[in-house]
Amino acid sequence: MYYTLYHNKSYIKKEYLLLLPLFILQPFIATLSAIFILGANSHNEREYKLLFFVISLFLSLLAFTQKTDVGDISRVYYNIETASYLGIKEYIAYSFITDKYILFSILNQIIYQLTGNVQYISLFWVFILYYCTFLSILNFYKYRNLKPKNDQILVITIACLFCFIMFTQVTEIMKQAVCTSLALLAYSNYLLGNKKRMILIVILACGVHFSIFLLSPIFLSKSLKQRIIIAMVLFSFV
């Protein structure tokens, strides 16, 4: 039986919900408030998810505000804008030829068609990157049957902010980062016994980048001895 991350009442406190309108008015202040609240009090699962939602949204907003006319990302933006005049069948064929990651390509085009701005693509993927990572952290706490400590969650969150990317001119790096976050989410669901959800996430990750297969050994960690895992980790640096 896993610790549910809930204590006393499972609803979100009203003052926490004020972060959402505050984010619309002052995203930076709302994010700082979310980080402060994260490290100051104990929370239930829904409150953690709301706080992580605000933090992830701010980081994705940073990615949205940055645009470049050089580098790989500008080429991807140009291709998406150019291909927007194709029909559905033609675009699927075009995506299959130009980019083997069909889900990534199709979602990019859908986002562009809905918003009319290619910069929303970076906003979407960076949000997915961070939010999936934060959800994985909560799942790992559940699996270990531990109640998150304020200082631990705060340190882990700050570490995640500096260890992942917010924006890059290389689309391939962005895809790999998103794929890694999805792999963590899939693995955490695997540990919790949510195998159907794990399989679905792995399938989705394959549509973003095939590097999910390089991370597949982590799914064997429960059945392997510790020394073998250490050897595999050391070998990965060779």
Side-chain angles (χ1 to χ4, degrees), residues 35-91:
I35 294 175
F36 174 79
I37 294 172
L38 192 65
N41 303 305
S42 297
H43 316 285
N44 61 49
E45 185 172 20
R46 294 178 183 176
E47 290 169 344
Y48 274 120
K49 288 181 178 180
L50 175 62
L51 295 173
F52 286 142
F53 176 86
V54 171
I55 296 172
S56 301
L57 192 59
F58 176 74
L59 294 168
S60 64
L61 189 62
L62 290 180
F64 171 80
T65 58
Q66 303 180 62
K67 187 175 182 179
T68 177
D69 295 325
V70 296
D72 177 65
I73 193 71
S74 63
R75 176 187 59 80
V76 173
Y77 283 171
Y78 175 78
N79 289 341
I80 292 171
E81 291 173 330
T82 303
S84 63
Y85 301 100
L86 299 175
I88 297 177
K89 293 181 179 179
E90 290 81 4
Y91 182 76

Side-chain angles (χ1 to χ4, degrees), residues 213-231:
F213 296 114
L214 298 177
L215 300 171
S216 58
I218 65 175
F219 293 92
L220 302 174
S221 60
K222 292 179 65 176
S223 57
L224 295 178
K225 295 182 179 180
Q226 187 176 6
R227 63 175 179 270
I228 297 178
I229 297 174
I230 295 175

Side-chain angles (χ1 to χ4, degrees), residues 84-146:
S84 63
Y85 301 100
L86 299 175
I88 297 177
K89 293 181 179 179
E90 290 81 4
Y91 182 76
I92 293 177
Y94 172 81
S95 300
F96 186 77
I97 294 172
T98 59
D99 189 345
K100 54 185 174 293
Y101 307 114
I102 302 299
L103 178 63
F104 184 81
S105 298
I106 292 178
L107 283 179
N108 287 346
Q109 190 57 233
I110 291 174
I111 293 168
Y112 177 68
Q113 292 290 344
L114 292 176
T115 64
N117 188 340
V118 289
Q119 290 172 256
Y120 279 100
I121 292 170
S122 293
L123 184 149
F124 174 79
W125 289 113
V126 171
F127 174 80
I128 295 297
L129 189 164
Y130 278 101
Y131 194 60
C132 288
T133 301
F134 291 139
L135 292 182
S136 302
I137 293 171
L138 295 181
N139 286 342
F140 290 139
Y141 270 101
K142 284 184 185 179
Y143 172 69
R144 300 300 299 176
N145 199 28
L146 297 173

